[in-house]
Amino acid sequence: YVRPAPWQQQNPYYIDPNNPQQTSVHPFPFLYDNLRSYQDYEDVFCPPSTRKNPNNRRECLFRPSQEDGTLAKRLDRFVQEYDGRNPYDV
């Protein structure tokens, strides 16, 4: 089961790059800082500099993450800030 990210239109917090005035703001926007596509997200845990062919994203499918702590820090911050009382759709 996959949840749509804010860069996908199915998400209620969809980030429209052509609309500077968003109608709904994600309650934890730091989770998606500088992530505007799946490729941006993938580059965090599988940077182009670590691939044999920087343009080949298939290498990322079958190897351990090369994540530098960015995603882990965001998750830690989310855990600290989320009170669990106000559910929201990620």
Side-chain angles (χ1 to χ4, degrees):
Y1 186 69
V2 177
R3 305 299 294 165
W7 52 80
Q8 296 176 308
Q9 291 183 359
Q10 305 93 314
N11 189 296
Y13 301 109
Y14 170 64
I15 300 168
D16 183 352
N18 300 315
N19 181 5
Q21 297 178 340
Q22 298 294 297
T23 56
S24 60
V25 177
H26 194 281
F28 301 97
F30 58 84
L31 288 172
Y32 301 102
D33 280 348
N34 300 317
L35 301 177
R36 298 288 177 239
S37 68
Y38 180 79
Q39 288 77 22
D40 290 346
Y41 170 68
E42 188 175 60
D43 286 346
V44 174
F45 65 83
C46 184
S49 62
T50 65
R51 301 178 206 150
K52 291 176 187 171
N53 176 353
N55 297 319
N56 183 2
R57 294 182 178 279
R58 293 185 62 82
E59 290 180 41
C60 303
L61 296 174
F62 304 106
R63 68 174 207 187
S65 173
Q66 302 294 314
E67 203 264 324
D68 65 0
T70 301
L71 297 175
K73 288 176 192 169
R74 291 177 188 191
L75 178 61
D76 284 345
R77 180 175 171 192
F78 168 76
V79 169
Q80 294 297 319
E81 292 184 17
Y82 181 52
D83 63 11
R85 295 184 200 150
N86 300 311
Y88 72 95
D89 190 2
V90 293

